[in-house]
Amino acid sequence: MKLLVCISKAPDTTAKISFKDNNTAFNTDGVQFIINPYDEWYALVRALEIKEGLGSGTVTVINAGGPENDPIIRKALAIGADDAVRINMVETDALSIAQEIANYAREGGYDMVLTGKETIDYNGSQLSGMIAELLDWPSVSLASKMDLNGEALTIERDVQGGKEIIEASTPLVISAAKGMAEARIPNMRGIMAARTKPLTVVEPISNQVFTKVRSYSLPPEKASCKYIDAENPAELFDLLRNEAKIL
Amino acid sequence: MSVLVYINNYGGKIQKNSFEALAYGKALADKLNTNVVAAMLGPAENPSELGAYGASEVFHNPSASFADHDPGAITKALSGMIEQSGAAVVIFSHDYTGKSIAPRVAARLKAGLVTGAIALPDTSGTFSVKKAVFSGKAFADIEILSDKKVISLLPNSFEYSKGEGSATVTPVNGEAEKSTLKVKEIKKESTKLSLTEAEIVVSAGRGLKGPENWGMIEELANDLGAATACSRPVADIGWRPHHEHVGQTGIAIRPNLYFAIGISGAIQHLAGVNGSKVIVVINTDPEAPFFKAADYGIIGDAFEVVPKLVTAAKALRA
Ligand SMILES: Cc1cc2nc3c(=O)[nH]c(=O)nc-3n(C[C@H](O)[C@H](O)[C@H](O)COP(=O)(O)OP(=O)(O)OC[C@H]3O[C@@H](n4cnc5c(N)ncnc54)[C@H](O)[C@@H]3O)c2cc1C
Ligand SMILES: Nc1ncnc2c1ncn2[C@@H]1O[C@H](COP(=O)(O)O)[C@@H](O)[C@H]1O
């Protein structure tokens, strides 16, 4: 089975968020970048497990972005992906990225495309469904479990108030949420091997954009916290009812 | 040039999130001097009732064949309705269903999509939509450049109310396209409130010391009609189920009232809850970072404070 895992770059979860150029761009000064956690912890590791379970197949990671993304792509190779592709473009909006990745997946004859549930910076939850629609493949979003038995896939996905157990088969696009796998830490051998694994750079086929960020803003500072005596916590409910008007 | 709203009647019941999306669509349609139409798939009792929430027309395909919830099949059926209505803007709720369908519809229409909108679009000149980014640490105004536009509305961020009126129902025929996806089983997580829809959430962390101590948390939640949640380590060590994990890598919630009990307030946790209207923090450590994000704080031992709150909550209810 040929598996294609979409990985995106995201600011470290502790990064201080600030903006520049009159609040039109994210200020990356001093920001560390990581692989988006859902992509690394769940989509990539589950793809590797499937390949290991089958004893055959390949796991390719794909990223749309500039050369500054190469370190995170190498990390995915160190975790165990066989090879990598970078579509050399500025990450603009999801649909333009989806068009590129769908095109690559089609040409490359992949059986399954895996993405994370969402990126932790733009929180889009967009790419997976878009790739599927462009390929005219079925899609399962927010999957927290996926098992392969022969040709049949059994998938658990989150729905309102519970989970659906779905039977599916390839080709398929799937977005991975928590529960799908356990994160793996790359070992020394993996890190050494990653240096020589192929990372192919391809140029985008289109430069159409569909959305663009006009400006960013930060949430207003919270007014200071009002303390309630631990001996008389019931006062809290008075305040919630009469001051905050919430109960 | 109308606005079309997708109505999710998962399991034969119209979801609250869909009423919010419809109210949002109606408000946008008023701004654009047009009307709002609703689109619904699968059996439903009384589609004309959507008129009371703002819809002037409802495109309804009652076929039970949509029960496999195949996003591809739903997208195709919906696209037909979008075309038929001539809608220029399509609205979803950014709930589980919306997350699986809105991106497909956007790709099919070659339309820009903004997910998780928190306010009505700014339509003065350009068309831009505000949403939270960086897991709630900031906001972005995103302009949709394409002619057709798709927006999904963050649950719990737009008020709706039931008014008068009934909508014209336009029946649509056709079966869902054959699917390779089959829903084998639906597992209800519990009969309790769904976390993302709950107006009050009582959440606890590692400060509770062990799973055996959650009785008082559940009791407090129960008395307040709240859902329960937890921090990530608590779910990771198996004290609580994974679906209760809130934060940057768990569920993001924005209830009216959030109780954080024995949770330190790490940035990744805050990212998932800082959309809450009012935050109450209970922690033994006056230096716990959560107090900086709190509206009300109690510096004290959860094992003493929470039982007192339970008593007070019961008195409140009585
Ligand atoms: C990439 C990444 C993603 C992450 N994503 C998430 C996420 O989505 N959600 C999340 O929650 N975390 C997340 N984390 C983990 C996060 O950094 C914190 O480690 C975690 O939130 C801490 O959980 P806690 O507050 O329950 O535990 P602790 O930090 O151990 O805090 C326990 C608190 O309880 C208080 N306490 C102790 N005893 C009592 C008592 N008797 N009464 C009252 N208070 C008491 C203590 O003072 C302390 O403040 C993530 C971390 C990383 C690196
Ligand atoms: N620039 C990118 N290159 C490759 N994959 C991406 C990129 N951006 C997002 N993805 C994938 O799409 C998923 C959802 O992203 P989003 O729709 O932006 O929330 C991520 O978890 C990644 O798997």
Side-chain angles (χ1 to χ4, degrees):
Chain A
M1 189 178 298
K2 285 185 76 176
L3 302 156
L4 185 64
V5 181
C6 303
I7 58 166
S8 64
K9 183 183 69 176
D12 180 76
T13 53
T14 55
K16 182 157 170 33
I17 305 301
S18 65
F19 303 102
K20 60 177 187 186
D21 301 343
N22 213 3
N23 287 326
T24 57
F26 176 45
N27 180 4
T28 56
D29 287 353
V31 172
Q32 293 268 17
F33 285 94
I34 57 172
I35 308 178
N36 187 49
Y38 295 104
D39 315 353
E40 177 189 330
W41 299 349
Y42 309 128
L44 175 57
V45 176
R46 193 65 196 131
L48 294 171
E49 288 170 352
I50 286 181
K51 177 191 138 181
E52 289 157 6
L54 289 169
S56 68
T58 54
V59 174
T60 304
V61 289
I62 188 165
N63 171 260
E68 68 282 3
N69 292 6
D70 288 349
I72 67 130
I73 299 175
R74 289 278 172 214
K75 181 170 181 205
L77 292 170
I79 292 170
D82 298 297
D83 59 348
V85 184
R86 181 167 58 76
I87 299 167
N88 192 27
M89 64 188 283
V90 184
E91 300 106 311
T92 44
D93 67 309
L95 188 48
S96 64
I97 296 173
Q99 288 183 333
E100 300 299 333
I101 294 180
N103 178 59
Y104 190 86
R106 193 185 299 112
E107 307 267 300
Y110 287 90
D111 302 293
M112 194 191 300
V113 177
L114 297 95
T115 76
K117 157 182 129 158
E118 65 179 21
T119 46
I120 61 168
D121 46 7
Y122 293 98
N123 303 105
S125 288
Q126 299 195 9
L127 219 69
S128 208
M130 286 174 169
I131 294 171
E133 186 63 27
L134 295 168
L135 290 170
D136 201 11
W137 286 9
S139 55
V140 178
S141 54
L142 308 171
S144 52
K145 221 173 180 180
M146 170 170 63
D147 293 314
L148 179 67
N149 293 306
E151 303 271 283
L153 288 157
T154 307
I155 302 168
E156 243 181 63
R157 78 169 183 118
D158 296 335
V159 292
Q160 25 277 357
K163 291 193 184 295
E164 274 180 2
I165 318 294
I166 297 177
E167 287 204 324
S169 54
T170 57
L172 183 70
V173 181
I174 187 154
S175 84
K178 184 175 174 165
M180 189 75 133
E182 294 286 335
R184 282 188 188 179
I185 296 162
N187 58 24
M188 210 49 208
R189 242 182 63 217
I191 296 168
M192 299 300 289
R195 293 190 187 154
T196 53
K197 285 181 179 170
L199 191 174
T200 315
V201 178
V202 301
E203 293 304 316
I205 49 168
S206 151
N207 55 9
Q208 213 182 349
V209 290
F210 300 87
T211 61
K212 108 171 182 245
V213 175
R214 277 201 354 193
S215 65
Y216 293 98
S217 55
L218 291 169
E221 293 273 331
K222 272 252 174 191
S224 63
C225 172
K226 189 168 209 169
Y227 288 94
I228 292 132
D229 183 6
E231 295 303 315
N232 183 21
E235 193 199 333
L236 174 68
F237 291 128
D238 292 337
L239 290 168
L240 289 174
R241 174 166 283 177
N242 299 317
E243 187 180 83
K245 308 221 179 297
I246 219 137
L247 276 184
Chain B
M1 240 312 264
S2 59
V3 175
L4 180 138
V5 180
Y6 175 69
I7 302 296
N8 176 12
N9 69 338
Y10 190 89
K13 182 169 172 277
I14 297 177
Q15 308 283 318
K16 166 184 169 234
N17 295 344
S18 291
F19 293 132
E20 290 174 358
L22 187 50
Y24 181 89
K26 170 74 175 141
L28 174 61
D30 287 348
K31 247 178 127 163
L32 299 173
N33 277 322
T34 178
N35 54 358
V36 62
V37 299
M40 185 156 69
L41 304 168
E45 294 228 317
N46 193 5
S48 64
E49 179 201 27
L50 289 167
Y53 299 90
S56 52
E57 185 178 1
V58 183
F59 289 87
H60 183 215
N61 182 331
S63 166
S65 60
F66 292 99
D68 276 320
H69 314 301
D70 179 331
I74 293 176
T75 298
K76 291 209 173 74
L78 208 48
S79 299
M81 294 177 176
I82 294 166
E83 204 172 307
Q84 205 179 337
S85 68
V89 187
V90 183
I91 313 282
F92 291 86
S93 171
H94 193 48
D95 56 11
Y96 294 111
T97 306
K99 284 179 188 177
S100 68
I101 303 169
R104 294 197 71 127
V105 168
R108 199 174 180 88
L109 299 176
K110 298 280 175 287
L113 165 65
V114 175
T115 51
I118 54 172
L120 278 176
D122 177 354
T123 53
S124 54
T126 57
F127 189 104
S128 69
V129 189
K130 189 173 180 181
K131 71 168 290 188
V133 289
F134 297 100
S135 307
K137 294 171 199 163
F139 301 105
D141 253 306
I142 299 181
E143 183 177 348
I144 303 183
L145 305 162
S146 50
D147 292 340
K148 289 233 165 37
K149 298 164 179 37
V150 183
I151 301 170
S152 69
L153 173 71
L154 195 69
N156 227 347
S157 43
F158 204 82
E159 296 275 344
Y160 73 92
S161 59
K162 188 171 180 181
E164 300 288 311
S166 100
T168 327
V169 179
T170 306
V172 178
N173 299 322
E175 300 280 293
E177 191 193 55
K178 271 240 161 313
S179 160
T180 55
L181 304 179
K182 276 273 155 301
V183 175
K184 266 183 47 191
E185 190 190 335
I186 297 177
K187 280 205 262 183
K188 285 251 172 279
E189 213 75 87
S190 63
T191 50
K192 282 190 297 189
L193 264 174
S194 122
L195 195 47
T196 44
E197 284 173 23
E199 292 184 352
I200 305 178
V201 173
V202 178
S203 183
R206 216 148 47 176
L208 277 237
K209 312 281 191 282
E212 66 281 6
N213 297 324
W214 249 265
M216 59 182 187
I217 300 296
E218 288 185 338
E219 202 177 349
L220 181 61
N222 195 32
D223 290 333
L224 294 172
T228 49
C230 68
S231 67
R232 179 168 142 210
V234 160
D236 283 352
I237 28 183
W239 292 359
R240 298 298 294 173
H242 279 303
H243 62 85
E244 284 196 358
H245 158 198
V246 292
Q248 188 157 19
T249 51
I251 299 177
I253 54 171
R254 35 197 349 262
N256 290 335
L257 178 56
Y258 183 73
F259 284 85
I261 305 172
I263 304 176
S264 57
I267 188 162
Q268 298 95 349
H269 184 89
L270 294 179
V273 304
N274 56 11
S276 310
K277 293 205 178 79
V278 172
I279 295 180
V280 174
V281 170
I282 303 169
N283 200 301
T284 39
D285 177 8
E287 300 294 318
F290 222 138
F291 285 118
K292 292 208 175 63
D295 299 280
Y296 298 101
I298 302 180
I299 301 165
D301 187 338
F303 295 96
E304 287 163 22
V305 173
V306 176
K308 284 183 187 154
L309 285 178
V310 168
T311 313
K314 287 198 198 307
L316 200 71
R317 227 168 51 146

